[in-house]
Amino acid sequence: MSNPFTRPPTQNERDAASKVMDSCAVKTAFSGAAGYGIGAVFGLVLSGIEFSSPVDTSTSTKQQIKTVFKDMGNKSLSSAKNFAIMAAIYSGSECMIESYRARNDIYNSVAAGCITGGTLAVRTGPRGMAAGCAGFAAFSAAIDWYMHKDD
């Protein structure tokens, strides 16, 4: 048996890897992980711009720095979780819709945006879910149109 790291992959191995990467579960997991990373960076940048907790001048500089970094870490973690959830819901729903419809068009993005917006707003009641659905669907349509306008 040859070493799989030093030889080119066989066609069967390529087909197996393609099947794994095309599955909705893997796409959802990768999107969630990417969303987590992007959200963490986004949260870190925004927490550096917006410092909301007042600085206690009676404490030492070292303690103040610890407080600022802790606040930045908390905001970054919160943003990372939110982005991961949003990316996973959107990617998973879009993949399932696309698999069901067997088409790749703007309606998949709009439906996935509606599902994502409605799901994220579930705690706000039916009106909030409708607004979330409409907002995410419109945003998804705009992004999909922009990304595919040259096709």
Side-chain angles (χ1 to χ4, degrees):
M1 182 171 194
S2 62
N3 186 348
F5 299 109
T6 58
R7 64 171 172 75
T10 65
Q11 189 59 40
N12 288 341
E13 291 169 339
R14 284 189 187 121
D15 292 342
S18 179
K19 283 182 185 176
V20 168
M21 294 308 293
D22 287 342
S23 77
C24 289
V26 171
K27 285 182 181 180
T28 301
F30 274 128
S31 293
Y36 189 88
I38 291 168
V41 171
F42 193 71
L44 190 63
V45 168
L46 287 183
S47 69
I49 294 170
E50 175 208 329
F51 184 69
S52 59
S53 48
V55 178
D56 185 10
T57 55
S58 64
T59 61
S60 67
T61 304
K62 185 177 180 180
Q63 187 60 38
Q64 289 176 19
I65 291 171
K66 279 184 179 180
T67 304
V68 168
F69 281 147
K70 188 173 186 176
D71 186 51
M72 289 174 74
N74 288 339
K75 287 182 180 180
S76 181
L77 181 63
S78 173
S79 182
K81 287 178 188 177
N82 290 335
F83 270 72
I85 291 168
M86 182 176 53
I89 293 171
Y90 180 83
S91 177
S93 59
E94 184 182 36
C95 182
M96 286 188 276
I97 292 166
E98 188 175 314
S99 297
Y100 178 75
R101 292 184 68 229
R103 290 186 200 139
N104 185 3
D105 57 15
I106 195 168
Y107 301 113
N108 297 338
S109 299
V110 171
C114 181
I115 291 169
T116 304
T119 303
L120 293 176
V122 75
R123 292 184 183 141
T124 64
R127 276 194 181 151
M129 289 175 68
C133 170
F136 263 86
F139 181 73
S140 298
I143 294 297
D144 199 66
W145 173 81
Y146 179 77
M147 297 297 286
H148 295 107
K149 70 180 178 181
D150 296 331
D151 290 346

